[in-house]
Amino acid sequence: MPSRKSARPNETAMKMVGAQVAAARVSKGLTQRAFADALHIDVQSVASIEQGRRTLMPSVAEAMDRVLGLPGLLTVAANKMPQVEVIPPWAEEYFASEAEAVALSWYDAVLVPGLLQTEEYARAVFGCRVPYTGEEKIELQTARRIRRQEILHRTVPPNLGFIVSESALRDRIGGDDVRRGQLRHLRDCADHPAVSFQVLPLGLTAHAGLTGSFALLETPDHQHVAYSENQRVSIVVRDPNEVSILAQKYAMLRSQALNVTDTKGLLDRLLGES
């Protein structure tokens, strides 16, 4: 196992991109605070990016390009940043399969599924982990999660089904503004032609999801894989019998959850209350 003090695989790249941001800002005669105000982010974030301690997220890079009058240079740099291993090795197999899946079904009893999280919500979720992992790792994990969402934007995206507990939508992870932004994003996702989004409502007397969250996916060669996780362990399941059991659970949850139309109505009501 590498030493904790060993250099991160993208440390040089982060510092290089940060130096480019600083140089472009100075050439425009902007202080860090003025730059941060123009971007609608805090000045500490600008400082961290320029020092190579915080990953430059693509959305922030796009805003920087606009403010600095650059032809997409920082956006390219953010999207091409070398990846760092920020997830456990036992989960890598699943995420590799997820990236090329032709179909994916996801039930989450606690949170909004990662593929549907906003950047702000994802950052807040990683910030809740105990023990606290620090700003740098949180940023790397957030960037990795947002990159995973590229599969939603394929020319032909996979068939995507999501069932989420209503309690996950009512929790205020990250605060009211983050929750409101997440609800708006979910409402938009619910209209995506490749997405089936359903909410498992509160107050049920019984349902099939009591033993926790899980995902099912179909690979391009039509192999079926399941993935489940708990507090400290993630498991990729390939045994056909075990995958079948989880598929049966998901089918039952679909019948117990609100249908797609009623789910959109619930999201509209929650947005009205927020």
Side-chain angles (χ1 to χ4, degrees), residues 21 25 30-31 42-44 53 104 110 113 123 128-129 131 146 148 172 188 230 240 250 259-260 264:
V21 171
R25 171 183 60 78
L30 295 172
T31 64
D42 59 87
V43 68
Q44 291 83 6
R53 294 187 293 107
L104 187 146
V110 180
R123 184 175 291 112
C128 290
R129 291 189 171 178
I146 298 305
R148 283 173 52 205
R172 298 171 53 254
D188 291 340
N230 57 30
Y250 192 84
N259 63 35
V260 170
K264 291 179 182 180

Side-chain angles (χ1 to χ4, degrees), residues 110-125:
V110 180
L111 296 169
V112 172
L115 292 179
L116 301 182
Q117 292 179 7
T118 63
E119 181 181 320
E120 295 76 16
Y121 181 91
R123 184 175 291 112
V125 168

Side-chain angles (χ1 to χ4, degrees), residues 20-78:
Q20 291 175 332
V21 171
R25 171 183 60 78
V26 171
S27 72
K28 285 291 184 179
L30 295 172
T31 64
Q32 284 186 341
R33 184 166 297 281
F35 193 31
D37 290 344
L39 297 169
H40 304 293
I41 62 177
D42 59 87
V43 68
Q44 291 83 6
S45 294
V46 170
S48 294
I49 290 169
E50 292 187 354
Q51 294 163 15
R53 294 187 293 107
R54 182 168 185 163
T55 301
L56 177 59
M57 302 294 288
S59 59
V60 176
E62 290 175 7
M64 286 182 172
D65 280 333
R66 288 194 297 271
V67 171
L68 297 171
L70 298 175
L73 297 181
L74 297 177
T75 301
V76 171

Side-chain angles (χ1 to χ4, degrees), residues 232-271:
R232 295 294 297 162
V233 178
S234 304
I235 303 171
V236 175
V237 182
R238 292 188 176 276
D239 181 280
N241 292 328
E242 296 299 323
V243 174
S244 175
I245 289 171
L246 290 174
Q248 292 175 54
K249 284 178 177 285
Y250 192 84
M252 183 62 73
L253 284 165
R254 288 193 67 183
S255 70
Q256 295 167 334
L258 299 177
N259 63 35
V260 170
T261 300
D262 289 344
T263 291
K264 291 179 182 180
L266 173 61
L267 288 171
D268 289 336
R269 292 193 297 275
L270 290 174
L271 279 166

Side-chain angles (χ1 to χ4, degrees), residues 8 19 29 34 62 68 79 84 91 101 120 123 129-130 171 184-185 196 201 204 212 221 229 235 240 249 254 271 273:
R8 301 187 311 274
E62 290 175 7
L68 297 171
N79 282 297
V84 176
E120 295 76 16
R123 184 175 291 112
R129 291 189 171 178
V130 178
D171 280 345
R184 282 197 296 267
H185 181 62
S196 169
L204 295 178
D221 58 353
E229 57 185 33
I235 303 171
K249 284 178 177 285
R254 288 193 67 183
L271 279 166
E273 296 168 4

